[in-house]
Amino acid sequence: MNSIRRVLAPVIGVVAGAVAAGVLLGGNATAAQGDNPNDRLAIREVIDHHQMYIDLRDADGYANLYAEDGRYRSPFGSADGRDEIKAMFVDLAAKGFTKGKRHMTGPAMIEVAGTTATARSWYWVAETEKAPAVYATGTYTDTFRKVNGEWKIVQRVQTLDQSSSQTE
């Protein structure tokens, strides 16, 4: 029995390392050499905070996820620069655009190259005031830049799935 454990120990170590890499890298175990898992985690947190700030109606938190020169493009509006992004957020919230909705992001593919990164993630919006339902689905395609040690969105392009019959 001890000889079997000695033979299997390296194999188990390699498998455990691969699983841990997948978990630490947001499910993407194909990280490039030199990638820092902390960068991937920080980028994933920006992606997640983006959705949370919408539902919390936190315009400052939302806008501060973007670089000063950040850009936002979507079927619902476009904005250039952090101030314009915040103004768009405030305007849409005032119009009730996101009222009764819950925003979520699914898996993300994140690629880091030094102080820049790209990500693609799926999102869905749930209806919360009427009968619970998926209201809309789509894709975010993001470009990030590390600014003063923090990852910021340089550009977010939001698309709506063709099969989505609703608009956010």
Side-chain angles (χ1 to χ4, degrees):
M1 189 62 141
N2 284 338
S3 61
I4 292 173
R5 276 188 233 161
R6 275 194 306 265
V7 171
L8 290 179
V11 173
I12 291 169
V14 168
V15 171
V19 169
V23 169
L24 290 174
L25 298 174
N28 182 358
T30 60
Q33 187 174 19
D35 272 357
N36 181 345
N38 292 330
D39 285 331
R40 290 176 179 275
L41 179 60
I43 291 166
R44 181 63 215 205
E45 286 184 348
V46 171
I47 293 169
D48 291 343
H49 282 112
H50 185 275
Q51 302 302 71
M52 295 294 293
Y53 287 142
I54 294 170
D55 294 336
L56 294 170
R57 292 165 182 72
D58 183 344
D60 289 322
Y62 180 88
N64 287 328
L65 294 173
Y66 288 82
E68 283 290 336
D69 62 344
R71 294 178 306 276
Y72 175 80
R73 303 287 183 262
S74 82
F76 318 110
S78 294
D80 294 315
R82 191 181 288 162
D83 292 339
E84 203 173 293
I85 290 168
K86 180 180 175 180
M88 181 187 68
F89 180 99
V90 169
D91 182 58
L92 289 171
K95 291 177 179 173
F97 187 67
T98 59
K99 186 176 184 307
K101 306 293 183 283
R102 182 72 53 147
H103 296 75
M104 292 162 267
T105 307
M109 294 188 309
I110 301 168
E111 294 184 25
V112 179
T115 58
T116 63
T118 59
R120 173 172 282 183
S121 56
W122 311 143
Y123 72 86
W124 64 100
V125 180
E127 171 62 50
T128 62
E129 287 189 352
K130 301 174 186 170
V134 173
Y135 187 74
T137 62
T139 303
Y140 289 128
T141 303
D142 298 321
T143 305
F144 294 88
R145 179 174 55 230
K146 202 170 199 178
V147 178
N148 296 323
E150 291 185 50
W151 287 99
K152 299 291 184 179
I153 301 169
V154 174
Q155 178 168 287
R156 168 160 274 197
V157 177
Q158 177 183 5
T159 58
L160 190 63
D161 287 339
Q162 293 293 329
S163 61
S164 293
S165 60
Q166 304 289 321
T167 57
E168 197 179 348

